[in-house]
């Protein structure tokens, strides 16, 4: 007889402000731990951080479920704060049914249709930013781009859309631990949720947007009317903050790596690759969760049924076993085929082509119009639970002269 060795464990807290201020050094420690999956004492959850282990968990949806909830909260044991997402927080086969609807609503044809208006909007915002001189690029440029083009493409009316940012903070903050900051934020939960749900209704949406395309599947009998409403809610939940934060972090990368910016500026056609590399190097979605459906032997480590697993995709993006010189931001790198920043497997980001389109259009316009990006003050990271992203990026652009 022998008893299983105690699991490798760690006191690291991935949700603490210290960790969030610089996750890349603790990521290294987690990857280099003596086991492919590590027990985090503070939350009584597992964590994977090596590229290979992250892929193994994400590819194994039969044992690592999404129905336990997209965050730290365990829906098998506690009540969710909102109705679970019909795409993120369900397993196959239910997941395929809703996934197919969103895939069709976000088809390549539709992306091609919206590209021209995305380009016009990027051009206008970047021209305005250049004219302003010094500006805070996060509120004054970066937030405005997804917040304009994405809800427009969904078919929402134009109005003050700031409740979408408050809702996104609740959704992504809600994937982390309950902190005083989160409890304070959630005081607005009823009002903000009501605002969002009103805008997910069929009659609130234009007849020709992505939202209407989802409701067409209700008319066709593929989904219920109420399911269409919740799928639109998924778009409004996951579609704005993610790209804002990823574009903001990519802009900082380019500002801090002038030699990389010079390559992009001289080759605006490399915008998509630059954004792809930034999605590996430093982007908004650093982690996600799975929950075990049964007792699991994971590469020799014993996990119990209904335990949460933190999947550190941001750490996998820096794994030297996968990426040569992973801490170098290099826009020439070929990333797409091994990209982990949008997740992987059956649940990989359903709107990832929309995200790439936004990034490509934004940075191509920047490369065509801007000569130099000058940081004129400290970039500020948000340190509360939620997506990784900047709250402030003081910058000055100088216009290209040809
Ligand atoms: C959803 C949803 C919300 C947040 C993130 C996400 C990363 C999905 O409501 O479906 O995917």
């Amino acid at each position: 007889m022998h008893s299983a060795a105690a699991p490798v464990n760690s006191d690291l807290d991935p949700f603490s402000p210290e960790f969030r201020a610089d996750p890349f050094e603790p990521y290294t420690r987690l990857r280099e731990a003596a086991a492919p999956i590590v027990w985090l004492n503070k939350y009584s959850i597992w964590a994977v951080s090596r590229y290979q282990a992250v892929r193994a968990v994400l590819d194994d949806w039969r044992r690592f479920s999404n129905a336990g909830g997209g965050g730290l909260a365990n829906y098998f044991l506690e009540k969710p704060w909102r109705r679970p997402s019909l795409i993120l927080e369900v397993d196959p086969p239910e997941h395929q049914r809703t996934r197919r609807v969103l895939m069709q609503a976000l088809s390549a044809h539709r992306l091609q249709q919206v590209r021209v208006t995305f380009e016009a909007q990027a051009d206008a915002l970047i021209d305005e930013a250049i004219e302003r001189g010094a500006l805070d690029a996060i509120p004054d440029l970066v937030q405005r781009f997804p917040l304009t083009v994405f809800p427009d493409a969904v078919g929402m009316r134009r109005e003050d859309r700031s409740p979408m940012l408050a809702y996104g903070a609740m959704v992504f903050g809600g994937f982390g631990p309950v902190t005083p900051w989160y409890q304070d934020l959630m005081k607005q939960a009823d009002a903000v949720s009501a605002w969002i749900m009103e805008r997910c209704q069929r009659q609130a949406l234009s007849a020709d947007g992505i939202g209407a395309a989802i409701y067409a599947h209700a008319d066709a009998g593929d989904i219920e009317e109420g399911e269409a409403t919740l799928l639109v809610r998924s778009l409004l939940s996951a579609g704005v903050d993610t790209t804002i934060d990823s574009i903001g972090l990519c802009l900082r990368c380019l500002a801090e790596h002038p030699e990389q910016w010079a390559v992009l500026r001289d080759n605006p056609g490399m915008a998509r690759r630059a954004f792809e590399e930034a999605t590996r190097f430093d982007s908004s979605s650093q982690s996600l969760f799975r929950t075990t459906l049964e007792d699991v032997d994971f590469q020799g480590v014993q996990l119990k049924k209904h335990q949460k697993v933190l999947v550190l995709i941001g750490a996998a993006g820096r794994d030297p076993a996968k990426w040569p010189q992973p801490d170098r931001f290099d826009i020439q790198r070929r990333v797409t085929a091994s990209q982990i920043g949008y997740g992987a497997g059956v649940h990989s980001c359903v709107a990832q082509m929309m995200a790439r389109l936004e990034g490509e259009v934004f940075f191509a316009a920047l490369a065509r119009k801007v000569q130099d990006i000058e940081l004129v003050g400290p970039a500020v990271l948000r340190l509360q639970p939620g997506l990784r992203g900047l709250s402030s990026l003081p910058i000055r652009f100088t216009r290209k002269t040809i």
Side-chain angles (χ1 to χ4, degrees):
M1 286 245 299
H2 65 277
S3 57
V8 173
N9 64 83
S10 166
D11 289 325
L12 285 170
D13 174 1
F15 300 101
S16 67
E18 303 74 43
F19 190 106
R20 292 179 59 92
D22 176 17
F24 300 105
E25 191 272 327
Y27 284 167
T28 302
R29 276 191 277 152
L30 285 169
R31 279 193 312 267
E32 291 177 354
I37 188 162
V38 173
W39 182 254
L40 298 185
N41 298 317
K42 171 138 188 194
Y43 299 105
S44 295
I45 61 173
W46 298 98
V48 283
S49 54
R50 300 176 191 165
Y51 184 90
Q52 183 275 339
V54 163
R55 286 300 288 249
V57 169
L58 296 181
D59 287 342
D60 191 354
W61 55 265
R62 289 176 195 279
R63 298 194 300 170
F64 294 101
S65 168
N66 277 42
L72 182 61
N74 190 337
Y75 294 1
F76 296 137
L77 309 174
E78 38 189 314
K79 192 178 167 305
W81 75 275
R82 58 170 205 165
R83 268 186 73 187
S85 162
L86 294 183
I87 178 143
L88 176 69
E89 297 174 322
V90 295
D91 293 327
E94 299 88 87
H95 172 251
Q96 270 93 314
R97 197 169 59 91
T98 48
R99 172 113 182 166
R100 195 174 307 125
V101 169
L102 285 183
M103 295 271 282
Q104 287 182 18
L106 295 159
S107 67
H109 177 69
R110 178 168 307 273
L111 297 194
Q112 201 186 319
Q113 280 180 331
V114 296
R115 175 187 276 273
V116 184
T117 57
F118 284 26
E119 286 172 346
Q121 190 64 37
D123 284 351
L125 287 171
I126 288 165
D127 279 335
E128 187 188 320
I130 297 169
E131 292 313 311
R132 279 179 77 149
L135 78 165
D136 187 337
I138 300 304
D140 296 340
L141 171 62
V142 173
Q143 285 185 347
R144 291 171 67 194
F145 181 61
L147 206 45
T148 305
V149 297
F150 186 72
D152 280 5
V154 170
M156 294 173 71
R157 69 183 175 85
R158 287 241 173 133
E159 64 186 316
D160 172 14
R161 289 168 171 168
S162 52
M164 297 186 76
L165 300 179
Y167 191 66
M170 290 174 193
V171 169
F172 288 101
F175 290 157
V178 176
T179 62
W181 168 84
Y182 178 72
Q183 287 172 314
D184 192 50
L185 178 73
M186 291 304 277
K187 288 179 187 154
Q188 325 159 52
D190 288 346
V192 173
S193 299
W195 189 99
I196 290 287
M197 292 319 294
E198 266 174 52
R199 277 135 190 97
C200 295
Q201 305 301 315
R202 185 194 284 262
Q203 65 277 8
L205 297 160
S206 71
D208 58 353
I210 298 167
I214 293 172
Y215 276 99
H217 284 273
D219 297 333
D222 302 333
I223 51 172
E224 307 279 336
E225 182 85 5
E227 292 180 318
T229 308
L230 274 183
L231 289 178
V232 175
R233 190 195 71 172
S234 282
L235 295 180
L236 305 197
S237 303
V240 170
D241 302 56
T242 46
T243 45
I244 288 172
D245 287 329
S246 289
I247 290 172
L249 290 167
C250 183
L251 181 58
R252 179 175 71 163
C253 280
L254 292 165
E256 290 180 344
H257 297 82
E259 80 296 345
Q260 297 296 316
W261 165 246
V263 174
L264 176 59
R265 178 232 289 144
D266 295 341
N267 305 276
M270 286 186 61
R272 201 171 174 99
R273 280 174 71 173
F275 189 62
E276 199 70 33
E277 167 67 343
T279 302
R280 177 197 71 83
F281 182 81
D282 191 5
S283 83
S284 57
S285 302
Q286 292 288 309
S287 63
L288 42 90
F289 277 93
R290 295 292 186 262
T291 313
T292 54
L293 279 182
E294 54 192 66
D295 290 359
V296 169
D297 178 318
F298 183 78
Q299 302 179 1
V301 182
Q302 307 309 312
L303 285 55
K304 292 229 180 335
K305 178 178 175 172
H306 290 172
Q307 288 183 327
K308 300 260 32 167
V309 180
L310 175 65
V311 181
L312 292 165
I313 57 176
R318 297 288 191 105
D319 186 347
K322 176 69 191 175
W323 311 95
Q325 295 187 274
D327 298 326
R328 258 195 85 214
F329 175 65
D330 173 8
I331 72 170
Q332 320 253 15
R333 195 191 288 268
R334 297 206 173 267
V335 176
T336 314
S338 304
Q339 180 66 272
I340 200 79
Y342 294 103
V346 294
H347 281 281
S348 74
C349 177
V350 69
Q352 58 184 279
M353 299 310 265
M354 172 65 83
R356 289 189 171 106
L357 176 68
E358 290 179 29
E360 177 191 346
V361 164
F362 183 91
F363 289 103
L366 200 73
R368 283 196 315 272
K369 291 173 179 292
V370 168
Q371 181 66 25
D372 291 319
I373 309 172
E374 185 194 348
L375 285 169
V376 296
V380 181
L381 275 168
R382 294 193 314 269
L383 299 180
Q384 306 90 350
L387 293 172
R388 177 167 169 85
L390 300 169
S391 56
S392 179
L393 184 65
I395 246 174
R396 182 164 34 231
F397 297 123
T398 49
R399 192 180 287 282
K400 250 188 188 177
T401 48
I402 5 137

